[in-house]
Amino acid sequence: MSQWKGMRNFKIVSVILLVFLLGITIGLSRSHKASARSNNIYEELKVFTDVLGLLQKEYVEETKSNELMYGAIKGMLETLDPHSAFMPPNMYKEMQEETKGRFEGLGIEITIKEGILMVVSPIEDTPAFKAGIMAGDQILKIDGDSTKNLTLMDSVKRLRGPKGTQVTITIMREGFTKPREFTLTRDVIPVRSVRHELLEKQYGYIRLSQFQEKTEGELDKALKALEEESKGSMKGLVLDLRNNPGGLLDQAVKVADRFIESGLIVSMEGRREDQKMKFFAHSQGTIARYPLIVLVNGGSASASEIVAGAIQDHGRGILVGTQTFGKGSVQTIFPLKDGSGLRLTTARYFTPNGRSIQAKGIIPDILVKPAVSEEEKVTPLPKQPMEKDLERHLIETEKGPPTEKEKPKKEEAKAKKPSDPQLERALELLKSWEIFKNKAKEK
């Protein structure tokens, strides 16, 4: 018996020793891999510091180390997607002012498509809008200098400036026989996030131009004003997200929460666990369930697509207009010690049904094209750039099966187009909604 116990103890000790030795082996293996990775990074950084030293010592003109460092960081981020960027202190400060609803410049949202600087959309009542700058315009030059090799941040920096100063941009547009110059005077751009109007005394209209710090509060005020103006008899609401380039994620979630009573609004997935988040609607604060029409177009991007996608997936309203921009990624702003900032794409977002809209956008339930003026018939509108047209754009990934709502319903062409056929169609739908509801009550 004692011999058996001795053998048993020997086996237990042997197992413990084996596990211990295996642990050391695995630990050494991981340590070796980590050490190898660190050595690789060290060697790469050594090359960088060698180049930096040579530039400071051998370059024909004296160089400034901070400018070299900023240039290196910008170059590094240019290898990523087009929405990640480095912002020097002055640009980072301007960005912070913009989210608060005020900056100085021309009033246009821009992007880069196939190396060409293009207009995503002009902001209403701004110098660019008043001068006739259109979505899809190609900006070939700024003050006579080619934009071909400029980054997006460099272009923004050159277009913005103090109120009263002028800038000349050279525009090429489909239908132009040659580029044209537009000289614009910069102004304070007080981006009005929310506008509202009562249509035909019974139907509310709310325009969201951008998602800023105060958008949720301004939306609540607009809804209250419409209720008071209609004396509590409002029969439907049009939410206009056309040419809304996005903005703050938390504000988009709060706006969607106003219309959706419960359930998922949007989910985010990044590489790290803390970047995997889900945002849900709450019953508290949900507005009365008016019939809802949401207007979208190719200038509706990012945060506005989150709102539109949530409303569409929950069946809370009907989307009318044209296909959206297709920016399904989330950018996080990281402040740096010297006052500069880093805008980095950290996650992809998905609609409640698991749809990714990255590089393909959201297709409305009812496809309605915008009006075409007599001038535009002669000079056709340029094709609006989409996320899928941007260099280095993220490849979309599906999280769930596509829904039937991705297939637009074809609409019959009208012989006579109103000035805003998309808004007119929205109003028609709300009136039809009311008619059907009354008919159902009669039965």
Side-chain angles (χ1 to χ4, degrees):
M1 181 68 72
S2 60
Q3 186 180 1
W4 183 83
K5 284 184 178 178
M7 288 294 291
R8 183 168 172 244
N9 290 339
F10 176 75
K11 286 180 179 179
I12 292 171
V13 171
S14 298
V15 170
I16 292 171
L17 183 62
L18 181 62
V19 171
F20 177 69
L21 290 172
L22 184 61
I24 291 176
T25 305
I26 293 170
L28 286 172
S29 175
R30 288 179 178 171
S31 175
H32 177 71
K33 287 179 181 177
S35 177
R37 195 179 298 117
S38 298
N39 287 338
N40 287 339
I41 294 172
Y42 175 76
E43 289 298 325
E44 289 163 359
L45 286 174
K46 190 173 183 302
V47 173
F48 175 78
T49 54
D50 288 345
V51 171
L52 185 63
L54 285 169
L55 284 172
Q56 290 180 315
K57 183 180 178 182
E58 305 291 347
Y59 188 64
V60 66
E61 294 179 358
E62 188 177 349
T63 57
K64 294 181 180 178
S65 58
N66 67 324
E67 290 180 358
L68 292 174
M69 291 299 294
Y70 281 0
I73 295 169
K74 285 168 63 178
M76 181 167 54
L77 288 164
E78 283 173 26
T79 65
L80 307 177
D81 72 296
H83 306 296
S84 296
F86 173 71
M87 295 174 285
N90 59 336
M91 193 172 293
Y92 178 55
K93 186 178 178 181
E94 287 177 5
M95 185 278 299
Q96 290 176 305
E97 290 176 358
E98 184 177 346
T99 60
K100 292 177 181 176
R102 183 188 183 279
F103 62 96
E104 295 180 351
L106 303 179
I108 49 175
E109 289 288 335
I110 58 174
T111 190
I112 292 178
K113 174 191 172 185
E114 297 176 358
I116 300 172
L117 187 65
M118 298 191 75
V119 177
V120 174
S121 64
I123 300 171
E124 293 176 27
D125 301 323
T126 62
F129 183 86
K130 293 172 183 176
I133 303 301
M134 297 181 178
D137 281 352
Q138 299 178 359
I139 305 177
L140 304 183
K141 295 180 181 180
I142 300 175
D143 283 333
D145 295 330
S146 174
T147 59
K148 188 174 181 180
N149 296 318
L150 291 181
T151 66
L152 190 61
M153 289 293 104
D154 288 335
S155 302
V156 169
K157 187 177 180 180
R158 293 194 182 201
L159 291 171
R160 288 187 180 176
K163 176 184 176 180
T165 60
Q166 289 188 329
V167 60
T168 300
I169 56 177
T170 305
I171 295 291
M172 189 61 192
R173 181 183 300 166
E174 188 177 340
F176 282 8
T177 55
K178 62 179 182 178
R180 297 183 189 176
E181 290 187 348
F182 291 76
T183 299
L184 310 177
T185 302
R186 298 182 180 96
D187 201 352
V188 173
I189 311 296
V191 181
R192 193 176 169 187
S193 179
V194 181
R195 290 192 298 108
H196 70 275
E197 180 184 352
L198 192 65
L199 306 173
E200 300 187 9
K201 298 181 181 180
Q202 292 179 312
Y203 300 98
Y205 170 84
I206 293 181
R207 163 93 174 115
L208 296 187
S209 59
Q210 202 169 11
F211 291 90
Q212 301 169 350
E213 287 182 358
K214 300 178 181 178
T215 298
E216 177 199 17
E218 290 178 11
L219 174 66
D220 290 342
K221 289 178 183 177
L223 287 166
K224 186 177 179 182
L226 288 171
E227 276 286 356
E228 291 175 355
E229 195 174 344
S230 66
K231 297 178 182 178
S233 62
M234 200 160 68
K235 294 181 177 179
L237 181 67
V238 178
L239 181 65
D240 192 349
L241 299 178
R242 292 176 296 179
N243 295 320
N244 181 325
L248 301 177
L249 173 67
D250 69 312
Q251 291 296 306
V253 170
K254 288 175 181 178
V255 167
D257 197 2
R258 284 290 180 271
F259 300 100
I260 299 169
E261 191 170 0
S262 63
L264 185 65
I265 291 175
V266 64
S267 61
M268 290 169 44
E269 288 195 4
R271 289 173 60 197
R272 289 169 27 189
E273 282 302 316
D274 61 353
Q275 292 166 343
K276 296 176 182 178
M277 293 184 280
K278 292 184 177 182
F279 299 89
F280 293 89
H282 307 86
S283 57
Q284 186 178 0
T286 304
I287 64 170
R289 290 188 64 85
Y290 305 116
L292 178 66
I293 306 294
V294 181
L295 296 179
V296 294
N297 66 1
S300 306
S302 192
S304 57
E305 290 175 295
I306 287 175
V307 174
I311 288 172
Q312 188 180 57
D313 281 4
H314 280 278
R316 174 59 184 88
I318 296 173
L319 268 58
V320 174
T322 55
Q323 185 176 352
T324 63
F325 186 78
K327 181 177 175 289
S329 60
V330 178
Q331 283 68 47
T332 304
I333 305 297
F334 297 93
L336 303 176
K337 291 180 180 179
D338 65 345
S340 58
L342 188 65
R343 186 174 68 187
L344 202 60
T345 299
T346 54
R348 287 182 172 88
Y349 70 77
F350 298 86
T351 70
N353 286 350
R355 290 186 295 159
S356 168
I357 59 92
Q358 175 61 27
K360 67 177 182 180
I362 291 175
I363 298 175
D365 300 298
I366 299 176
L367 189 63
V368 181
K369 294 183 179 180
V372 179
S373 66
E374 292 301 319
E375 182 183 354
E376 290 163 356
K377 288 177 183 177
V378 179
T379 307
L381 279 171
K383 182 179 180 296
Q384 204 158 355
M386 311 293 278
E387 173 77 8
K388 65 181 179 181
D389 299 320
L390 305 185
E391 290 184 0
R392 309 185 311 278
H393 71 261
L394 298 177
I395 303 300
E396 65 89 16
T397 56
E398 284 295 341
K399 192 182 175 186
T403 64
E404 289 299 316
K405 286 179 180 176
E406 292 185 10
K407 297 177 182 178
K409 301 172 186 177
K410 292 184 180 179
E411 298 295 315
E412 294 180 4
K414 291 186 176 182
K416 189 176 181 181
K417 295 185 178 181
S419 58
D420 190 346
Q422 294 167 335
L423 180 56
E424 291 289 335
R425 177 58 61 85
L427 200 54
E428 286 174 14
L429 287 168
L430 288 177
K431 289 177 180 177
S432 301
W433 209 320
E434 185 66 20
I435 292 169
F436 284 126
K437 187 174 73 174
N438 291 336
K439 290 289 182 183
K441 283 182 180 178
E442 288 173 9
K443 290 183 179 180

